[in-house]
Structure formats: structure tokens, C-alpha cells
Amino acid sequence: MNIELLSKRTEALHKDLADLYQTASVLAWISPELQPQAFQEILSSAKMAHLAMEELRQQNEELIQTQNLLQAECEHYQDLFELAPDGYLVTNADGIIQKANAAAAKLLNVSKQFLVGKAMINFISLEDHQHFRSELNQLLQSDTAKELVMRLQQRHDEFLNAALRVTVVRNQQGKITHLYWLLRNVTEQQQTESITIQNESDIIQNRQLYKYSKGENICLRPRVIWYVHQGVVKLSTFCETGEEVLIGLAKAGMVFGSSMTGLNIYQATALCDVELVSFSEAEIAASPTLNHSLLLKINRRLQQTECLLFNSGRLHVQERLHHLLQLLKQEIGETVPQGTRLSVRFTHEDIASACCTTRVTITRFLGILEQLGKINFDSQNHIILKD
């Protein structure tokens, strides 16, 4: 029953009560003493019903106003989704597409109606299917967004290189409800980066190489950016208790320097024999090519540091260790017959500082992982992660 109909019936009730009062006043068999009290109670109840009706009417108007605002807000976000310059898809946990915007349809060269109900893997090139499934399974076990670079298959068997950033959405019970996909065509970007890297190699070849042996501290000069030509450099600081804290790993193709941090204590140590090239901030600012090249390297360092920062906030040490090993596998892993070997040997103290725990705890957990067959060590004590 809607509010208007209820209001009309309330008004009709008032009229009926008035007619009843008139009729009762002329009936001789109703005691005159009872009439005022009875009708007073009836009229009082009628007034209360009328007030309640007015309150309901006001609440209904507020609800309609709120509904209109929500509708406008939904339309606003729908427009943002639909008109976004990048492709957006919404899928269920199995990767079945539920929503798609115009940019996604244009990127895949199909209509939006055709996309809905299709499996996401249908638009992945056949040679990337196994890799896509593996990455998606890993993603479903975590709560962090992840970016995948895949070859997407367009209509008429045309292909493009795309970056797929995937975010997992869970309900209050922790069950996956949706996956959000951001799609970007990176074919031109990769071509530009390839040209940039080639120019960068030319620049490096004409510069002096600075060599540091394993375990040496690298001199951090003001307004100088170091570029790692070969090897891996550990970047760390020290907390108030004197314990070392890992804040980054600069591998070949990455940059570091004292001007890139706001920390008062900042230390760079060669984890193996390294070769470095230096650039002054002045020459970087004067060269657009160099500026662009090093900006890409800084971005990689930033992403890595954010991963380390997020990992340090995990509740359990086992989780911190697991995700650190996965990050190291991604950053400095090399394929060997037994699995993935970390190209640099880390001490238990190094791993403990990155996991915000003690060396004894890391030694115990690494022992457990080795007993479970998830890791082992080579003759030089490099960790090998089993695939």
C-alpha cells in the first residue's frame, strides 16, 4: 500500500467518525454520559493516526529524495566507468565477464554485449593460457592487486600486448565476489621503452664504471644518482635499536642515491660484485632522454619499496617470509632445473631484517620450509624456491 492511498483512507476514516458522531447523538438507546468519553477516545486515536500518517508522509518524501540522490550517484559512477579512457571489466571469481566499458570493447574490437558472459581467458593468446591460469590462481589466494602483461587476442585473430591490473573484491565473510580488471595497451609503450633502453646503453658505454666487491659499502654522494649496470645492491637503514631494516634491492637496470630518500640514515651495500655508473642531477635535468630513462627505473624501485612496506605490515611472520621470498623470486630469481634460484646469497640476518623479526625465527621457519620440500640450498647456500 502506498502513502497516498493510506492518506486517503485516513481522511475517509475521519469523515466516517464524524458521521458516526452525528448518528450516535440522535440515538436514544446510547447513554448521553458515555458519548463524550467514547468519542473523545476515538477522535484521539484518529488524531494519532493522522499524525503518524503525516510523519510517514515526511519520511516517504525523505526516502524519495535519498533514492533520487543515490540514483544520481549511481549514474555518475556508471558514466565514470563507461567513459573511462582505459578498459575496465568486472568478472566473477571464475573470470566470467559481467560488465565491460566502451574502452574495453574497443580494445578487444568487439561489442560490449558480446563481452558479457564470456570467459576472460578467451581473450588471452593461446600460448599465454597456462601462465594466465597460474597467475590468476596465485592472485585469488592474496588480497593485493597485481599487474600482468599478456598478449590479448582481438577479433579476427589480431593481437596486442596489454597490461592487466587485477584487484580482488571480497565480502565480509572473505569470499571472493568480483575481480576488477584494468586493461591498457602497452605495445607502443614497450616500443618506446625499447628505444629508450638502447639509447641508455649507448650512454652507459661512454661512462666510467665504478666497481664494488661483495660486502662493500657504496659511497653515496650528494646530488648523484647511481645506476646499477651489473649486480645487486642492498639498500637499508637502521632503527633506534640499532637493527638494520631492508628498504630495497637495486638490481641491474635500477637506480638509487641519497637524494632519492628522506631517511637520515641510508646505506647501500654490494650483495655481490657490482658495477655502477653515476649521473649528476644537473645532467639528468638537462637531458630529456636521460630523464625519461631514469624515471622508468625510479618507478620500478618505488613499486618494489611499496611491496616491502606492505609486506612488513602483515600480521604473521610466516606470511611475511612467504611473500618476501616470492618478491625476491620475481626480482632476482633465475630458472634452474630444481626451481627458481635467488641469484644473490642472503644471510638469515638479511631476511630477518626484511621480515621485521629475529634471525632465530627466520632460521626456524626456513628449516620448516626445507623439511616440507618447498625450498633447498645450492652449494653456495643460495636459496632455491621449488615451483
Side-chain angles (χ1 to χ4, degrees):
M1 182 186 299
N2 59 39
I3 298 297
E4 291 301 324
L5 179 59
L6 184 59
S7 178
K8 289 180 180 179
R9 292 190 177 183
T10 304
E11 292 176 0
L13 175 62
H14 273 279
K15 185 175 181 303
D16 291 343
L17 287 173
D19 293 342
L20 179 62
Y21 181 80
Q22 293 293 330
T23 302
S25 62
V26 297
L27 295 177
W29 53 271
I30 297 179
S31 172
E33 291 80 8
L34 295 177
Q35 290 182 13
Q37 181 180 356
F39 280 101
Q40 187 66 32
E41 291 179 0
I42 294 174
L43 288 173
S44 177
S45 298
K47 287 180 180 179
M48 291 178 64
H50 181 71
L51 289 174
M53 186 62 244
E54 289 299 319
E55 186 175 350
L56 282 174
R57 186 196 300 274
Q58 182 179 354
Q59 291 177 357
N60 186 62
E61 291 175 354
E62 292 175 355
L63 285 173
I64 292 174
Q65 185 178 6
T66 302
Q67 184 178 13
N68 291 337
L69 289 173
L70 289 174
Q71 181 65 28
E73 193 77 5
C74 287
E75 291 175 357
H76 172 67
Y77 283 107
Q78 180 62 33
D79 289 341
L80 290 177
F81 175 82
E82 182 60 34
L83 302 176
D86 292 322
Y88 280 97
L89 297 173
V90 179
T91 72
N92 63 12
D94 297 322
I96 306 301
I97 299 172
Q98 298 175 329
K99 292 183 67 176
N101 71 346
K106 182 179 179 180
L107 189 67
L108 297 171
N109 197 23
V110 294
S111 67
K112 290 196 300 180
Q113 292 76 10
F114 178 83
L115 284 173
V116 175
K118 301 295 189 301
M120 186 67 192
I121 198 170
N122 291 344
F123 301 97
I124 304 296
S125 65
L126 188 60
E127 58 267 27
D128 282 344
H129 275 195
Q130 184 175 355
H131 178 55
F132 176 78
R133 290 193 181 96
S134 175
E135 292 287 352
L136 189 59
N137 287 335
Q138 290 182 24
L139 179 70
L140 296 179
Q141 305 302 320
S142 67
D143 295 322
T144 58
K146 188 170 187 178
E147 184 165 293
L148 315 174
V149 178
M150 299 278 176
R151 292 189 71 205
L152 294 186
Q153 183 170 356
Q154 297 176 300
R155 195 176 180 182
H156 308 306
D157 293 331
E158 296 178 358
F159 294 91
L160 62 90
N161 295 329
L164 284 61
R165 186 165 182 81
V166 196
T167 303
V168 178
V169 180
R170 300 178 185 271
N171 58 20
Q172 293 181 345
Q173 289 73 38
K175 183 179 179 180
I176 297 175
T177 58
H178 298 93
L179 299 177
Y180 292 160
W181 303 76
L182 168 63
L183 281 60
R184 291 183 293 109
N185 187 347
V186 295
T187 303
E188 293 182 2
Q189 178 184 338
Q190 289 180 334
Q191 292 172 350
T192 302
E193 288 182 4
S194 178
I195 296 172
T196 302
I197 291 171
Q198 183 63 43
N199 294 336
E200 183 180 306
S201 299
D202 294 338
I203 295 172
I204 292 172
Q205 287 175 3
N206 298 327
R207 288 180 174 271
Q208 179 182 355
L209 285 176
Y210 295 85
K211 298 183 179 182
Y212 289 86
S213 300
K214 178 181 178 180
E216 278 192 88
N217 287 335
I218 297 166
C219 177
L220 299 174
R221 294 178 288 177
R223 301 188 178 280
V224 169
I225 301 297
W226 285 110
Y227 171 84
V228 182
H229 178 59
Q230 181 179 308
V232 180
V233 176
K234 178 177 70 173
L235 305 173
S236 57
T237 186
F238 293 88
C239 59
E240 295 177 352
T241 60
E243 295 179 352
E244 186 179 18
V245 178
L246 178 70
I247 56 176
L249 293 173
K251 61 180 182 177
M254 286 189 177
V255 293
F256 65 94
S258 58
S259 59
M260 293 174 57
T261 181
L263 297 173
N264 294 326
I265 302 176
Y266 188 71
Q267 180 174 284
T269 308
L271 287 177
C272 55
D273 293 341
V274 300
E275 294 181 356
L276 308 175
V277 174
S278 67
F279 298 95
S280 70
E281 289 185 356
E283 63 180 319
I284 293 173
S287 171
T289 302
L290 188 57
N291 200 316
H292 177 70
S293 298
L294 296 186
L295 179 62
L296 296 174
K297 311 305 179 187
I298 293 171
N299 183 49
R300 290 172 63 190
R301 271 284 323 285
L302 176 62
Q303 292 174 349
Q304 182 198 90
T305 301
E306 286 183 340
C307 289
L308 287 170
L309 178 63
F310 179 79
N311 191 46
S312 66
R314 296 182 186 275
L315 183 60
H316 301 294
V317 176
Q318 298 98 313
E319 291 184 8
R320 297 200 291 270
L321 176 59
H322 169 74
H323 287 279
L324 175 66
L325 292 176
Q326 293 304 311
L327 177 62
L328 294 177
K329 175 183 177 181
Q330 175 183 318
E331 292 291 319
I332 57 172
E334 53 187 22
T335 303
V336 295
Q338 299 90 342
T340 303
R341 174 182 179 269
L342 301 186
S343 60
V344 174
R345 178 182 176 273
F346 290 92
T347 66
H348 291 190
E349 193 70 41
D350 291 332
I351 299 174
S353 70
C355 292
C356 302
T357 186
T358 64
R359 180 187 57 79
V360 174
T361 301
I362 289 300
T363 299
R364 179 164 59 88
F365 282 130
L366 287 177
I368 293 173
L369 291 176
E370 187 176 14
Q371 290 175 2
L372 293 174
K374 295 185 176 182
I375 67 170
N376 60 18
F377 299 86
D378 65 8
S379 59
Q380 298 176 328
N381 279 332
H382 289 215
I383 297 176
I384 298 177
L385 305 174
K386 298 295 187 66
D387 295 332

